Amino acid sequence: MSKVNALLPELRFPEFVLGEAWKSKKISELGDTISGLTGKSGEDFGEGMPFVTYKQVFDNSVIDYRDCGRVKIYTNENQNTLQRGDVLFTTSSETPNEVGFASVLVEVPKEPTYLNSFCFSLRPFNLDEIQPQFSRYLFHSPIYRKAITALAQGSTRYNISKGAFLNLTLSVPNSAEQQKIASCLSSLDELITAHSQKLELLKYYKKGLMQNLFPQEGEKAPKYRFSEFVQEWKKTALAEHVDLTSGYAFQSKFFSKQGKKLITPKNFTKEGKANFDKGNTKFTTEQFDPKHLCVPDDLLLLLTDLTPSCELLGKPILLTQEDGNVLLNQRIIKVTITSNLDKRFLLQYFLTSQFHRRIKSTASGSTVRHSSNKIILDTQLIIPNEFGEQEKIASCLSSLDNLILAQRAKIEQLHLHKKGLMQVLFPKLND
């Protein structure tokens, strides 16, 4: 590991600016490693005493005991139990960037608790020297992540050795400064948690509205209706209202960092939102038929899914001005309205659980699941006779979508703010 550029972070709280420098410590000077469960078979799991799972360590910086698995521990076994302050680490992962993830026990376990066999624990010699709340951030700091990633070894799966891990050097402040840093970052985490809970409530509220504003199985009308509309809803086939344009199998040899933007299955997200995921955008220089060019306000539908639960099958995207023009790739269709059917009402229908159940139940394929144009066109739905009622429902649900998108953006900004703080509250490595 390269030497620490300075024993001070870029940003310090005023009361510590003239205080003592951070101290360089090898991890071996901070604590001992403790192994996880040994000698267990599949029959031992499912009941018994709590144990911290690999997923808990990988997913969270703090252990929540409510999420623990269960394992039988017999009286003649010599297994290590966990205690407050233990820092748990994953020993391997599929990518070097995900190895050595850490999670901390900030509270005392209420009963003997164990650790899965694919992780190990660092047990601090002194909890004043490395406090639990500070540990959760130190072992997620850029200086630590850069160092641990450099240690990862392997080809198909990456691992770290305990010896190399213990030899890593980190910079640690005194206990008072640790408390201040932990307090600052934990307050931000609490704010992120609060906004995340608000997001879940908005999503739950929209799900409930969807169930009440669209007829459920066996019903001829929805449970809730706006008072100004009294006409009955009608049953119809989607084929009476839309034309479908199939995508084209653009060749990978023409994929480029420039050219025309493609929409591919990777642009569809698992979330309930119906907007374009820009994180997986591809471009092509291949010649194309104008019929495969999609523009803002075009409604697209995904006809394939790699996920076991088929979460993405039948997902819609309504292109926006920000998305611009895109080329329609294979396994995606463009849905063009040909009747007095509101496009945004149809978009919301494509997001209903009943539509997803139909697409999933009629899908073909084993590993990769597919739907078809025929299945989409044969879909039976019940819609309002009055176009105004379609618009009112779409407007109501779209306004909630906008609130959900704004809430997601707020959470993303908070995460970026936390990332920025992590970069300046901890010392940096030389490049």
Side-chain angles (χ1 to χ4, degrees):
M1 176 179 174
S2 57
K3 293 182 179 179
V4 177
N5 185 32
L7 295 180
L8 297 174
E10 183 180 331
L11 178 67
R12 296 184 83 182
F13 294 96
E15 61 266 42
F16 302 109
V17 169
L18 300 178
E20 62 184 289
W22 290 33
K23 295 178 181 179
S24 289
K25 296 274 189 178
K26 286 188 177 181
I27 292 181
S28 60
E29 298 178 80
L30 297 174
D32 282 330
T33 58
I34 307 294
S35 299
L37 291 164
T38 58
K40 287 298 178 183
S41 64
E43 292 76 18
D44 293 322
F45 294 91
E47 58 181 275
M49 302 302 293
F51 78 96
V52 175
T53 66
Y54 180 97
K55 189 175 188 300
Q56 282 177 279
V57 179
F58 186 82
D59 287 348
N60 305 286
S61 62
V62 172
I63 293 299
D64 186 339
Y65 297 116
R66 294 171 298 181
D67 297 330
C68 285
R70 291 283 165 172
V71 61
K72 294 177 184 175
I73 303 294
Y74 302 99
T75 54
N76 60 342
E77 289 189 71
N78 184 24
Q79 303 282 4
N80 296 314
T81 56
L82 297 173
Q83 62 186 45
R84 178 178 177 269
D86 284 355
V87 188
L88 316 182
F89 297 89
T90 60
T91 56
S92 67
S93 188
E94 293 179 356
T95 68
N97 292 330
E98 294 180 344
V99 77
F101 266 44
S103 188
V104 184
L105 277 71
V106 298
E107 297 178 352
V108 177
K110 294 181 179 179
E111 57 183 321
T113 302
Y114 303 83
L115 177 62
N116 74 86
S117 57
F118 301 102
C119 295
F120 68 91
S121 169
L122 177 73
R123 179 157 296 166
F125 297 130
N126 186 334
L127 291 187
D128 285 329
E129 185 179 26
I130 178 168
Q131 298 172 13
Q133 282 286 6
F134 178 75
S135 293
R136 66 180 289 199
Y137 300 109
L138 174 65
F139 290 105
H140 281 268
S141 65
I143 189 173
Y144 166 76
R145 287 306 313 158
K146 185 174 181 179
I148 202 72
T149 300
L151 290 182
Q153 297 178 336
S155 53
T156 57
R157 192 162 186 88
Y158 294 83
N159 303 275
I160 53 170
S161 72
K162 288 184 184 178
F165 169 80
L166 289 170
N167 201 42
L168 286 176
T169 301
L170 295 175
S171 293
V172 182
N174 63 35
S175 60
E177 194 165 359
Q178 286 186 34
Q179 289 177 356
K180 191 75 174 184
I181 292 170
S183 176
C184 170
L185 293 172
S186 61
S187 295
L188 190 52
D189 276 334
E190 289 171 5
L191 187 59
I192 291 171
T193 297
H195 279 288
S196 298
Q197 290 171 344
K198 181 178 178 181
L199 173 61
E200 292 306 310
L201 285 173
L202 285 170
K203 288 160 62 177
Y204 182 78
Y205 181 56
K206 190 198 172 187
K207 182 180 179 181
L209 268 183
M210 295 277 282
Q211 292 172 343
N212 288 305
L213 290 176
F214 286 94
Q216 299 303 297
E217 299 291 341
E219 296 179 351
K220 295 181 179 180
K223 184 176 181 180
Y224 295 163
R225 294 187 70 185
F226 296 99
S227 58
E228 63 266 39
F229 303 106
V230 295
Q231 290 189 26
E232 292 185 356
W233 287 37
K234 61 181 178 182
K235 187 173 183 179
T236 183
L238 202 52
E240 298 178 26
H241 304 279
V242 302
D243 283 336
L244 305 180
T245 302
S246 298
Y248 175 72
F250 287 93
Q251 300 178 63
S252 58
K253 67 180 180 180
F254 292 105
F255 289 174
S256 171
K257 293 183 179 180
Q258 299 178 356
K260 287 290 185 181
K261 186 194 298 185
L262 285 171
I263 183 165
T264 73
K266 288 187 177 181
N267 295 121
F268 292 76
T269 68
K270 292 181 181 179
E271 293 286 351
K273 56 184 179 179
N275 58 315
F276 190 95
D277 181 4
K278 302 168 184 62
N280 293 294
T281 301
K282 288 183 178 179
F283 298 86
T284 183
T285 57
E286 187 174 356
Q287 295 297 310
F288 61 91
D289 188 316
K291 72 178 182 180
H292 295 123
L293 182 64
C294 300
V295 299
D297 209 40
D298 276 348
L299 178 59
L300 312 179
L301 206 62
L302 182 62
L303 296 188
T304 193
D305 194 357
L306 285 168
T307 64
S309 59
C310 285
E311 292 176 274
L312 296 177
L313 194 63
K315 277 286 184 180
I317 280 180
L318 186 65
L319 294 176
T320 66
Q321 291 293 332
E322 185 182 354
D323 299 329
N325 297 346
V326 299
L327 292 177
L328 192 64
N329 211 345
Q330 63 179 337
R331 298 296 179 185
I332 302 169
I333 57 173
K334 179 169 71 173
V335 182
T336 303
I337 306 291
T338 59
S339 71
N340 193 32
L341 180 63
D342 184 75
K343 185 183 296 183
R344 283 162 180 74
F345 174 84
L346 182 58
L347 168 72
Q348 295 297 336
Y349 171 75
F350 285 149
L351 291 170
T352 62
S353 57
Q354 56 263 42
F355 176 72
H356 183 256
R357 283 195 300 270
R358 167 175 164 74
I359 296 303
K360 184 177 177 180
S361 66
T362 54
S364 60
S366 53
T367 306
V368 180
R369 305 281 284 167
H370 303 292
S371 190
S372 68
N373 292 23
K374 184 178 187 307
I375 288 173
I376 302 301
L377 291 172
D378 288 346
T379 298
Q380 299 288 313
L381 66 161
I382 301 174
I383 63 174
N385 267 303
E386 296 179 77
F387 188 78
E389 188 171 6
Q390 296 178 30
E391 288 184 311
K392 191 79 178 250
I393 291 169
S395 177
C396 172
L397 295 172
S398 295
S399 64
L400 259 178
D401 285 336
N402 292 335
L403 286 175
I404 289 169
L405 284 173
Q407 189 65 19
R408 281 199 182 97
K410 191 176 295 183
I411 293 168
E412 288 171 7
Q413 286 300 314
L414 288 170
H415 279 295
L416 285 174
H417 180 51
K418 180 185 173 183
K419 182 179 179 181
L421 276 179
M422 293 283 285
Q423 289 172 341
V424 296
L425 287 176
F426 290 89
K428 296 179 180 178
L429 291 174
N430 284 325
D431 292 331

